[in-house]
């Protein structure tokens, strides 16, 4: 060890801090360079040593200042070479010494791995690898490692435009016959997406393997999209009539060119409905974005619709939901229905959508926006939900955004308008006597409006309720359990779990009333678990008195 220390001191004598500072100064400015792999070019340009600058000497046009810069640069480079040579020799010595100690440990680890059963080694390699490159590296250890690595074909199944051509080729080979998760975008035909594989060679590779596609995420558009027809033509021609026998999940976005006041593509429109030419008997989970789906033979169980945004006075939103009604009529297999919209309908007239029986629907999620001063019964989404017969519904999640289109917040007149939004939200609850066990309601009151909303949860409408989540965001929210008794007495639902988030007013009274009614119907021993988060209206001490330490989870922070 003494010899080693003396050697370090000797090195320290030849390489002092000033030498290291020189290297840092010369190379440090390259750290923030966005152009990777250009270190030598940057050095040459910094010291006037580029080929173009040397060519000036041959033309006799090199000035004294350039010559002085180049001579100084050559001197500095010679110093760097000398220092790098010393560092390289010393680094090699350190490396050899370290390997003498680390090598046996590495061999021991290698022996342990080699003695592992294939199943355990496979799990170890899967945990150690983040993708195809790591897997290929481990496959070079030995023959056994390669065999195990080749068995992890599911780690090479993500096919995206961001892969390099070599990575794409390797992924298709290494994934063998495993199901592929494919992403495809018409943006690949746009020049500024230079980091994506162009759409034509990409399709050349993935279309022949379409029988292996397990999930597909595709962004398509009209032929006028970005003033380029290449991607549109390629997608419309190459993806028509595919045999997608293994496809289980589809996310389809159609960025059409919609004119103001026009309807979304409906059942009578054909552009963009390329998916109805596919053979996909195992397709179960589908998301349609910006397009109303065209009815076609399928057995979809999970349907997500992200509707096109519409103007506040536009009837197109109502027409969109009518097209959704028509699609669902041909889709009795749907079990999970999600409808998301940012349209802010105002001044609407109530619409009677055709009654629709959906016997298999067990979960519904909605995201919508309401004007706090409008008649809620006329909102298109409320009318649509009233048309559904979903007697087996067990889970309902509503994400509700409240806005005020007319009376904006006035800093000089900050008075709030009290508005009861109970009817607005309850209008989104299907009218059939469903057995809702899980109910989630999230209410957002947009900042800087002058609405002060309150919400009374009518528990008598949810006689099977087990799990309740209430979330409140925005300017000011009340959550108040109706104090007036219903016309007819009712049994309070046997709730097992309550979660409250962001309740600024009425939270304590709400919990007190819930526990009083629970005890009246089910006895004092009935105690649900309660999660309270960021509720300024509920003090922890009082919550502990009501709920009990064993059943309360309290967090004052978001």
């Amino acid at each position: 060890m003494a010899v080693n220390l003396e050697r370090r001191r000797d090195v320290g004598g030849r390489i002092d801090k000033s030498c290291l500072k020189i290297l840092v100064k010369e190379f440090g400015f390259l750290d923030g360079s966005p152009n990777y792999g250009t270190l030598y070019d940057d050095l040459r340009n910094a010291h006037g040593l580029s080929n173009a600058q040397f060519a000036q000497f041959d033309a006799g046009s090199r000035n004294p200042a350039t010559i002085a810069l180049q001579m100084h640069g050559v001197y500095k480079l010679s110093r760097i070479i000398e220092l790098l040579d010393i560092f390289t020799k010393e680094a090699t010595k350190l490396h050899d010494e370290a390997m003498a100690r680390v090598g046996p440990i590495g061999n021991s680890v290698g022996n342990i791995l080699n003695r592992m059963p294939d199943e355990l080694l496979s799990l170890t390699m899967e945990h150690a690898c983040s993708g195809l490159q790591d897997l290929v590296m481990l496959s070079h250890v030995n023959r056994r490692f390669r065999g195990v690595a080749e068995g992890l074909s599911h780690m090479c199944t993500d096919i995206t435009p961001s892969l390099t051509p070599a990575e794409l080729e390797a992924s298709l080979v290494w994934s063998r016959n495993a199901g592929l998760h494919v992403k495809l975008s018409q943006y690949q035909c746009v020049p500024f997406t230079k980091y994506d594989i162009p759409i034509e060679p990409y399709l050349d590779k993935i279309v022949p393997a379409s029988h292996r596609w397990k999930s597909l995420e595709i962004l398509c558009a009209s032929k006028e999209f970005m003033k380029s027809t290449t991607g549109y033509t390629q997608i419309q021609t190459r993806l028509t009539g595919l045999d997608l026998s293994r496809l289980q999940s589809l996310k389809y976005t159609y960025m059409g060119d919609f004119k103001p006041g026009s309807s979304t593509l409906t059942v009578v429109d054909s552009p963009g409905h390329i998916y109805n030419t596919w053979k996909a008997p195992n397709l179960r989970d589908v998301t349609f974005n910006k397009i109303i789906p065209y009815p076609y033979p399928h057995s979809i169980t999970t349907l997500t619709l992200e509707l096109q945004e519409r103007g506040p006075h536009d009837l197109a939103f109502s027409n969109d939901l009518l097209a959704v009604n028509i699609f669902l009529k041909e889709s009795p297999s749907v079990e999970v229905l999600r409808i998301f919209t940012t349209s802010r309908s105002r001044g609407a007239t109530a619409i009677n959508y055709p009654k629709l029986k959906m016997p298999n629907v067990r979960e519904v999620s909605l995201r919508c926006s309401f004007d706090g001063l409008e008649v809620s019964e006329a909102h298109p989404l409320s009318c649509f939900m009233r048309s559904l017969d979903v007697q087996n519904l067990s889970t309902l999640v509503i994400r509700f955004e409240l806005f005020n289109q007319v009376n904006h917040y006035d800093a000089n007149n900050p008075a709030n308008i009290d508005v009861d939004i109970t009817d607005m939200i309850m209008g989104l609850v299907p009218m059939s006597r469903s057995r809702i066990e899980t109910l989630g309601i999230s209410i957002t009151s947009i900042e800087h409006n002058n609405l002060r909303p309150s919400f009374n949860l009518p528990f008598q409408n949810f006689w099977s309720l087990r799990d309740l989540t209430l979330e409140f965001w925005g300017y000011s929210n009340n959550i108040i359990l109706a104090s007036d008794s219903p016309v007819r007495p009712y049994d309070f639902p046997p709730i097992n779990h309550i979660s409250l988030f962001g309740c600024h007013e009425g939270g304590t009274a709400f919990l007190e009333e819930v526990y009083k009614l629970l005890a009246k119907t089910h006895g004092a021993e009935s105690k649900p678990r309660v999660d309270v988060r960021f509720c300024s209206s509920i003090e922890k001490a009082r919550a502990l008195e009501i709920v009990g330490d064993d059943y309360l989870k309290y967090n004052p922070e978001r």
Side-chain angles (χ1 to χ4, degrees):
M1 180 63 68
V3 175
N4 291 338
L5 289 176
E6 288 300 325
R7 181 184 302 163
R8 301 297 180 275
R9 294 192 186 100
D10 180 58
V11 173
R14 288 182 290 151
I15 307 177
D16 56 18
K17 291 183 178 180
S18 63
C19 295
L20 184 59
K21 288 181 179 179
I22 293 175
L23 290 176
V24 172
K25 182 178 179 180
E26 294 300 326
F27 293 108
F29 75 95
L30 300 174
D31 292 343
S33 174
N35 302 316
Y36 300 104
T38 61
L39 180 131
Y40 295 109
D41 289 339
D42 290 341
L43 274 176
R44 294 170 68 185
N45 292 330
H47 297 301
L49 303 176
S50 66
N51 291 335
Q53 289 165 321
F54 274 120
Q56 296 177 3
F57 177 77
D58 299 331
S61 60
R62 191 164 48 161
N63 57 47
T66 301
I67 296 175
L69 175 65
Q70 291 171 338
M71 292 183 66
H72 180 66
V74 171
Y75 167 74
K76 295 183 74 173
L77 287 175
S78 66
R79 287 280 294 154
I80 291 174
I81 292 173
E82 179 183 355
L83 292 171
L84 288 176
D85 182 56
I86 297 173
F87 277 125
T88 301
K89 291 178 180 179
E90 293 306 318
T92 302
K93 292 178 182 178
L94 289 175
H95 175 268
D96 293 342
E97 292 176 7
M99 285 302 299
R101 294 170 174 78
V102 175
I105 299 175
N107 292 334
S108 299
V109 174
N111 291 333
I112 293 173
L113 291 174
N114 275 327
R115 286 196 296 267
M116 279 185 177
D118 285 353
E119 294 80 3
L120 186 55
L121 179 59
S122 176
L123 291 174
T124 303
M125 293 178 64
E126 183 174 355
H127 181 73
C129 296
S130 60
L132 176 64
Q133 291 184 354
D134 293 340
L135 200 62
V136 172
M137 290 177 61
L138 284 180
S139 71
H140 292 157
V141 173
N142 55 37
R143 184 177 299 177
R144 181 164 180 259
F145 270 54
R146 181 172 181 83
V148 173
E150 290 177 347
L152 299 174
S153 56
H154 62 280
M155 297 189 64
C156 313
T157 56
D158 290 337
I159 308 299
T160 69
S162 60
L163 295 174
T164 65
E167 290 172 339
L168 174 60
E169 185 74 31
S171 295
L172 292 173
V173 173
W174 274 74
S175 59
R176 296 191 173 185
N177 195 40
L180 301 176
H181 304 282
V182 178
K183 291 184 179 180
L184 172 65
S185 171
Q186 190 168 332
Y187 280 106
Q188 291 173 245
C189 69
V190 182
F192 64 75
T193 57
K194 61 181 179 180
Y195 298 109
D196 289 347
I197 301 178
I199 194 167
E200 294 184 58
Y202 187 67
L203 290 174
D204 289 341
K205 293 294 184 182
I206 66 172
V207 169
S210 60
H211 62 284
R212 294 173 50 197
W213 294 1
K214 187 175 182 179
S215 69
L216 173 61
E217 184 175 335
I218 176 174
L219 189 155
C220 187
S222 69
K223 59 184 178 181
E224 302 298 329
F225 176 70
M226 299 298 294
K227 304 300 181 182
S228 174
T229 62
T230 303
Y232 177 82
T233 303
Q234 287 289 321
I235 291 176
Q236 294 295 321
T237 57
R238 301 287 297 279
L239 268 62
T240 298
L242 291 181
D243 180 7
L244 303 178
S245 55
R246 296 173 65 176
L247 188 67
Q248 298 179 11
S249 175
L250 169 67
K251 182 175 182 180
Y252 185 83
T253 301
Y254 186 81
M255 301 297 293
D257 296 324
F258 302 108
K259 297 179 180 179
S262 67
S263 175
T264 307
L265 296 175
T266 62
V267 294
V268 298
D269 300 307
S270 58
H273 291 125
I274 185 176
Y275 50 85
N276 66 356
T277 68
W278 299 341
K279 296 178 181 178
N282 294 307
L283 183 58
R284 296 294 181 267
D285 186 348
V286 179
T287 297
F288 289 107
N289 189 14
K290 311 300 182 184
I291 185 173
I292 301 300
Y294 185 95
Y296 64 99
H298 55 269
S299 298
I300 296 174
T301 56
T302 300
L303 175 64
T304 303
L305 299 173
E306 300 183 20
L307 303 181
Q308 175 80 6
E309 184 176 359
R310 299 302 188 183
H313 300 283
D314 199 342
L315 293 178
F317 182 34
S318 300
N319 295 334
D320 292 344
L321 291 174
L322 177 59
V324 173
N325 183 285
I326 295 172
F327 179 84
L328 290 176
K329 184 179 180 181
E330 304 297 326
S331 309
S333 59
V334 171
E335 299 177 6
V336 178
L337 175 63
R338 305 186 184 104
I339 299 178
F340 302 146
T341 174
T342 57
S343 297
R344 297 183 172 185
S345 180
R346 294 189 67 252
T349 303
I351 298 176
N352 292 322
Y353 292 103
K355 295 297 181 181
L356 185 60
K357 189 173 183 177
M358 301 291 294
N360 295 312
V361 170
R362 53 182 175 77
E363 179 181 332
V364 171
S365 296
L366 304 174
R367 186 178 68 214
C368 55
S369 298
F370 273 59
D371 187 331
L373 301 180
E374 287 291 310
V375 179
S376 59
E377 291 82 358
H379 194 282
L381 191 57
S382 299
C383 298
F384 174 83
M385 293 304 298
R386 287 198 295 270
S387 72
L388 299 183
D389 182 357
V390 285
Q391 294 189 9
N392 293 318
L393 180 66
S394 62
T395 300
L396 176 63
V397 177
I398 299 175
R399 300 191 180 279
F400 182 90
E401 181 184 87
L402 189 70
F403 67 97
N404 182 0
Q405 191 73 21
V406 179
N407 298 306
H408 293 285
Y409 177 79
D410 186 356
N412 298 320
N413 184 22
N416 293 318
I417 301 175
D418 291 327
V419 54
D420 187 344
I421 60 175
T422 302
D423 290 340
M424 295 182 185
I425 295 177
M426 294 306 298
L428 299 171
V429 179
M431 299 179 65
S432 58
R433 188 171 172 77
S434 54
R435 300 176 178 85
I436 296 178
E437 297 183 357
T438 301
L439 176 64
I441 298 177
S442 177
I443 302 173
T444 299
S445 179
I446 296 178
E447 299 286 353
H448 304 308
N449 66 29
N450 59 342
L451 297 180
R452 189 172 181 267
S454 62
F455 174 59
N456 305 321
L457 182 62
F459 281 98
Q460 65 271 19
N461 292 4
F462 304 97
W463 53 278
S464 297
L465 188 61
R466 300 291 190 276
D467 193 322
L468 173 65
T469 299
L470 299 174
E471 297 182 345
F472 299 87
W473 308 78
Y475 179 69
S476 177
N477 297 287
N478 291 335
I479 171 171
I480 306 172
L481 182 63
S483 56
D484 296 334
S485 301
V487 176
R488 298 179 180 178
Y490 70 99
D491 290 337
F492 197 79
I495 296 179
N496 297 323
H497 179 249
I498 299 174
S499 179
L500 299 178
F501 181 92
C503 179
H504 297 304
E505 295 186 41
T508 300
F510 174 80
L511 283 179
E512 291 174 341
E513 189 72 10
V514 166
Y515 270 76
K516 182 179 71 174
L517 294 175
L518 267 173
K520 182 178 180 181
T521 303
H522 303 284
E525 68 279 0
S526 178
K527 291 184 178 294
R529 293 178 294 107
V530 178
D531 293 339
V532 177
R533 293 175 295 161
F534 198 67
C535 292
S536 58
S537 64
I538 304 177
E539 295 183 356
K540 185 175 182 179
R542 182 57 183 143
L544 285 171
E545 293 177 3
I546 300 172
V547 178
D549 187 42
D550 294 337
Y551 300 94
L552 177 66
K553 184 178 180 181
Y554 188 93
N555 186 356
E557 302 296 333
R558 286 186 182 271

